[in-house]
Amino acid sequence: MKQPELVLFDTMKRELTPFYSIDGNTVGLYACGPTVYDYAHAGNLRTYLFVDVLKRVLELNGYEVKHVMNITDVGHLVSDGDSGEDKMEKGARQQKKSAWEIASFFEQHFFIDMDRLNISKPSITCRATEHIKEQIEFIQSLEEKGFIYQTSDGIYFDTEKLPDYGQLARLDKQGLRAGARIEMAEKRHQTDFALWKFSGDNDRQMEWQSPWGVGFPGWHIECSAMAEKYLGERFDIHVGGEDHIPVHHTNEIAQCQAKNGHIQANFWLHGYFLQLNREKISKSGVSLRLDSLIEQGYDPLAYRYLTLTSHYRSHLNFTWEALKGAQKALQRLRKKVSVLPDGGSIDSDYQAEFIAFINQDMNMPRALALVWKLFDSDLAPADKKSTLLFFDRIFALDINKAEAVSPPEQVQALVARRQRLKEQGQYAQADEARAQIHRLGYQLNDTGNGCSISPLPPTVDAE
């Protein structure tokens, strides 16, 4: 049976497009990574789960994926309008640590979360601060081609010199001018963006010499420079969150088009937001970290399961009830797999149906539904198990893992209450909540990343 071709939704074309790599069986994949000034929240992590599924689908289709991801540890300002503080400097000031310490700490925690969610590591992880030379050289190339100008606060890209600027986001530049609300300062045009910012009189920890003056790179230039260094001037796929479409990816495209005469990536893919009460997580005022889910007794892979129930190009509304349902489904799945015998074969019909779903722009909800359909089939038990384990090459839910017993809801509620009391400085009440948890037969193990819950070991009667 011929395998269905892989089709992906290219944001640039606004349509499903058959995927073919530039270089035979190798795929160059660039993913915009975290800005490491704070913990990643669940909404951020949904994007990296989408990238992980994409990578697994490519590999299942026989491609070798060269996956490059940046770490933004300098240059990401709090405003998309090139104003305000650098997020790293702001985070360092708030936490009374150096910007380098902040970056290192939150980068390490980000990769801990990646491991918890079974997200495979990139082939190459590159930090902006370690590629200042490449960024300066990229800006110099733009200068030679006449695309930059200097103001009192930095070096800017002149978007008016690129006729089709904004094609990714279908930007209406005339409409933007009419309704302009961004502070222009010395910018010539509203859509112009910073390539290099001068330190000026600001007391900065992260700054470098450049041909234009002491300062630091803009956010957009790092991705263009590092993607080109590791993947070349043209590569296969560039991915990120939907919030990257109107500004970050639009500006990346402009830089590369101006420098090289063409767009850097053949495909642009974007994952959509996780929402809380229909509002983007990062704007909801709630810091929904993976640690928070674990502290309340949830398996991190229950969150992965939850994200698989929605297409990556659909908004997913987070509720605790939905997460609870995902955890129960994952526990049920593992329990059903645990009683199936080994030694079977992958069923070709189910395999073909599964591949058809994942190759249709990664339709994970339909692929996940196939799991439960398979349990009701007439397949031999051992063949069911082998086929399900084949599916799990994409799902990465550890379905063959023995399922630990989840603490009862009363214990989970006490764990959450204790955490709130600690945050409020009510330590005596927090200790009482811990004692109640102990009386119910569970113990808390505090770690640097939160706490874990486990049943108390059985008592041994003295002889």
Side-chain angles (χ1 to χ4, degrees):
M1 183 182 295
K2 184 180 178 182
Q3 180 168 308
E5 68 179 353
L6 174 61
V7 296
L8 301 170
F9 188 86
D10 183 5
T11 308
M12 185 73 74
K13 295 177 181 176
R14 294 290 198 279
E15 63 183 15
L16 290 171
T17 306
F19 176 78
Y20 300 101
S21 67
I22 295 170
D23 184 21
N25 288 331
T26 301
V27 172
L29 170 66
Y30 186 89
C32 285
T35 303
V36 285
Y37 70 102
D38 201 349
Y39 295 103
H41 56 66
N44 302 136
L45 295 171
R46 187 192 183 196
T47 298
Y48 301 107
L49 284 163
F50 139 64
V51 175
D52 185 61
V53 169
L54 169 63
K55 184 177 175 181
R56 290 171 184 273
V57 167
L58 289 166
E59 290 172 342
L60 198 64
N61 277 272
Y63 293 108
E64 180 182 345
V65 181
K66 185 177 182 181
H67 175 197
V68 178
M69 185 187 75
N70 70 301
I71 299 290
T72 298
D73 53 359
V74 69
H76 193 171
L77 303 185
V78 295
S79 165
D80 283 337
D82 293 312
S83 61
E85 289 185 271
D86 184 329
K87 290 183 176 182
M88 296 305 307
E89 299 279 342
K90 181 179 179 181
R93 191 186 70 254
Q94 289 176 337
Q95 301 192 42
K96 296 181 174 58
K97 295 181 180 179
S98 76
W100 307 97
E101 289 173 326
I102 291 291
S104 176
F105 175 83
F106 288 118
E107 178 185 330
Q108 289 178 42
H109 199 280
F110 171 77
F111 281 109
I112 289 171
D113 283 347
M114 294 266 280
D115 286 341
R116 289 165 163 172
L117 291 167
N118 278 352
I119 297 173
S120 57
K121 287 184 172 61
S123 315
I124 296 170
T125 301
C126 43
R127 300 174 186 85
T129 53
E130 296 174 358
H131 295 79
I132 300 299
K133 174 177 174 288
E134 288 83 357
Q135 293 172 76
I136 289 174
E137 289 174 350
F138 201 109
I139 299 169
Q140 287 176 312
S141 295
L142 294 174
E143 183 176 36
E144 291 169 4
K145 295 177 184 292
F147 279 94
I148 76 170
Y149 63 90
Q150 183 169 333
T151 70
S152 61
D153 76 335
I155 303 299
Y156 284 80
F157 185 93
D158 190 340
T159 57
E160 287 296 305
K161 294 191 174 181
L162 202 64
D164 53 357
Y165 173 83
Q167 57 186 306
L168 178 72
R170 306 295 195 269
L171 291 182
D172 175 9
K173 290 196 286 185
Q174 294 298 328
L176 283 171
R177 292 189 193 99
R181 289 183 293 177
I182 293 177
E183 180 62 42
M184 288 289 289
E186 299 173 53
K187 288 166 64 170
R188 294 177 183 173
H189 317 103
Q190 185 187 351
T191 51
D192 293 354
F193 57 92
L195 299 166
W196 187 266
K197 294 282 283 186
F198 300 140
S199 296
D201 297 330
N202 297 319
D203 182 19
R204 284 190 58 86
Q205 299 178 48
M206 292 179 160
E207 59 183 11
W208 295 265
Q209 291 284 349
S210 80
W212 312 281
V214 176
F216 58 99
W219 176 33
H220 317 300
I221 197 67
E222 67 173 275
C223 285
S224 294
M226 293 192 289
E228 185 168 312
K229 176 181 175 71
Y230 294 107
L231 295 174
E233 291 185 5
R234 193 190 295 274
F235 55 90
D236 295 291
I237 305 174
H238 198 313
V239 294
E242 63 172 309
D243 52 334
H244 289 152
I245 297 173
V247 179
H248 184 48
H249 285 176
T250 286
N251 292 344
E252 277 194 69
I253 288 169
Q255 293 166 164
C256 293
Q257 201 166 5
K259 177 181 177 291
N260 301 321
H262 56 77
I263 296 171
Q264 63 186 150
N266 279 2
F267 281 76
W268 293 80
L269 275 67
H270 296 90
Y272 277 45
F273 292 144
L274 181 73
Q275 297 179 321
L276 188 65
N277 299 322
R278 305 298 173 187
E279 185 175 34
K280 182 184 173 185
I281 287 286
S282 64
K283 294 183 178 179
S284 67
V286 176
S287 179
L288 194 63
R289 290 168 43 198
L290 192 61
D291 281 343
S292 305
L293 312 188
I294 295 170
E295 286 167 4
Q296 299 207 38
Y298 289 97
D299 185 328
L301 294 183
Y303 177 61
R304 183 172 181 120
Y305 187 104
L306 178 64
T307 65
L308 295 173
T309 64
S310 177
H311 195 274
Y312 78 91
R313 285 192 289 110
S314 298
H315 291 133
L316 173 60
N317 194 45
F318 179 90
T319 66
W320 290 105
E321 194 62 31
L323 183 62
K324 181 179 178 181
Q327 174 126 314
K328 287 183 175 179
L330 179 59
Q331 291 170 343
R332 178 172 170 240
L333 174 56
R334 287 174 175 169
K335 185 175 181 180
K336 289 173 77 71
V337 171
S338 70
V339 299
L340 296 174
D342 296 323
S345 301
I346 299 170
D347 181 78
S348 59
D349 290 336
Y350 273 98
Q351 181 183 43
E353 193 173 359
F354 180 78
I355 292 174
F357 289 148
I358 66 172
N359 277 7
Q360 187 65 21
D361 196 34
M362 299 180 287
N363 193 330
M364 303 315 294
R366 295 198 69 181
L368 195 59
L370 194 62
V371 169
W372 304 105
K373 176 183 173 184
L374 183 147
F375 276 118
D376 294 331
S377 73
D378 294 329
L379 287 181
D383 292 347
K384 286 183 179 180
K385 185 168 187 176
S386 293
T387 307
L388 288 164
L389 293 179
F390 172 79
F391 292 176
D392 206 41
R393 289 169 61 180
I394 301 296
F395 297 144
L397 293 171
D398 291 348
I399 64 172
N400 205 28
K401 173 183 174 183
E403 185 62 50
V405 177
S406 179
E409 291 183 12
Q410 183 181 4
V411 172
Q412 295 178 32
L414 283 167
V415 171
R417 181 171 184 271
R418 174 179 176 262
Q419 181 62 29
R420 289 195 299 271
L421 290 168
K422 285 176 63 179
E423 291 171 355
Q424 294 165 4
Q426 300 180 48
Y427 299 110
Q429 294 92 325
D431 287 343
E432 174 54 30
R434 184 185 191 114
Q436 286 181 265
I437 293 168
H438 193 274
R439 287 195 291 271
L440 290 168
Y442 290 84
Q443 64 184 359
L444 290 179
N445 306 296
D446 288 310
T447 69
N449 300 316
C451 68
S452 61
I453 316 167
S454 59
L456 285 169
T459 58
V460 179
D461 294 330
E463 294 183 357

